[in-house]
Amino acid sequence: MWWFQQGLSFLPSALVIWTSAAFIFSYITAVTLHHVDPALPYISDTGTVAPEKCLFGVMLNIAAVLCIATIYVRYKQVHALNPEENLIIKLNKAGLVLGILSCLGLSIVANFQKTTLFLAHPKIHGKQVFWIRLLLVIWCGVSAFSMLTCSSILYSGNFGTDLVQKLHWNPEDKGYVLHMITTAAEWSMSFTFFGFFLTYIRDFQKISLRVEANLHGLTLYDTAPCPINNERTRLLSRDF
């Protein structure tokens, strides 16, 4: 059995591979058609002009579905490991809601281009994974802070008024350094997400989900208990 056939470990793997492919294919298409500059464009800029915006939107919509599936499995895993710890259960539910909202946000930004609209830790692994995840979170926070700070300065109006529509930058342009820092931070933040989801592979090798069908009657009009046993099968099978 291959490593990705163990439990549900294929979910975070598929999420990272598919999302990376969405960024790479959109970038290659946008650069090839001279819609953006090759040197660190905004990720959203690589999905702004047709035809790459169509590819970008479709692939990130699928990535959002994979992300929801991954977050849901993680939610069920944490719940199964801590069935009686109320604080963890509450935090786990909050994480599920925030995760689903984040996936919705991913789908929205994929389909509303920038130039169009601008505006729980279970005890299943060792300390090494904890430190890796902590470093990724810190790095993501630093990248997000750098991106937000530099972009706020860049779009303050001191470097031009039509920067949202600007897809090509030259080194002599005003705000070029801030633009490069912002885009580098954006790419860096995205890849920390990939790294974070990759750390779930080992966790997901130890879990599988089942779906249970409970029959309350043979037809819509039955009132007597159904004599047929309930059916339980894997929600996601190892053999795929």
Side-chain angles (χ1 to χ4, degrees), residues 105-152:
L106 174 64
S107 180
I108 290 174
V109 298
N111 292 279
F112 293 89
Q113 290 76 33
K114 184 190 75 172
T115 54
T116 304
L117 183 64
F118 183 67
L119 296 179
H121 187 71
K123 301 173 183 178
I124 193 174
H125 44 64
K127 291 183 178 180
Q128 182 179 7
V129 175
F130 165 77
W131 286 113
I132 291 174
R133 288 177 180 169
L134 180 61
L135 289 174
L136 286 171
V137 169
I138 294 173
W139 185 257
C140 180
V142 172
S143 299
F145 178 79
S146 302
M147 182 185 70
L148 293 174
T149 301
C150 293
S151 63
S152 298

Side-chain angles (χ1 to χ4, degrees), residues 64-237:
V65 174
L66 289 171
C67 192
I68 288 176
T70 302
I71 291 169
Y72 178 74
V73 172
R74 182 62 172 175
Y75 163 77
K76 296 295 288 185
Q77 185 183 39
V78 172
H79 187 274
L81 290 168
N82 305 274
E84 298 180 356
E85 299 189 33
N86 292 330
L87 178 59
I88 293 181
I89 290 174
K90 291 180 181 179
L91 291 174
N92 194 31
K93 289 181 179 179
L96 175 65
V97 174
L98 290 175
I100 293 175
L101 290 176
S102 299
C103 295
L104 178 62
L106 174 64
S107 180
I108 290 174
V109 298
N111 292 279
F112 293 89
Q113 290 76 33
K114 184 190 75 172
T115 54
T116 304
L117 183 64
F118 183 67
L119 296 179
H121 187 71
K123 301 173 183 178
I124 193 174
H125 44 64
K127 291 183 178 180
Q128 182 179 7
V129 175
F130 165 77
W131 286 113
I132 291 174
R133 288 177 180 169
L134 180 61
L135 289 174
L136 286 171
V137 169
I138 294 173
W139 185 257
C140 180
V142 172
S143 299
F145 178 79
S146 302
M147 182 185 70
L148 293 174
T149 301
C150 293
S151 63
S152 298
I153 298 173
L154 183 62
Y155 290 97
S156 63
N158 297 325
F159 300 94
T161 58
D162 198 27
L163 297 183
V164 173
Q165 305 293 331
K166 188 178 180 64
L167 298 179
H168 296 277
W169 289 78
N170 297 313
E172 60 271 13
D173 292 341
K174 292 179 61 178
Y176 178 78
V177 174
L178 286 172
H179 165 74
M180 295 301 292
I181 295 174
T182 304
T183 54
E186 183 184 47
W187 283 95
S188 173
M189 184 173 63
S190 299
F191 281 100
T192 58
F193 284 124
F194 297 161
F196 192 85
F197 279 113
L198 283 176
T199 65
Y200 284 150
I201 291 177
R202 292 293 299 276
D203 291 347
F204 280 25
Q205 288 176 340
K206 305 297 183 182
I207 185 174
S208 61
L209 298 184
R210 294 182 182 272
V211 59
E212 181 175 345
N214 297 316
L215 298 179
H216 299 285
L218 294 177
T219 69
L220 295 177
Y221 308 100
D222 286 340
T223 57
C226 180
I228 299 177
N229 292 330
N230 295 332
E231 186 267 346
R232 299 183 67 189
T233 56
R234 287 184 180 275
L235 179 62
L236 292 172
S237 174

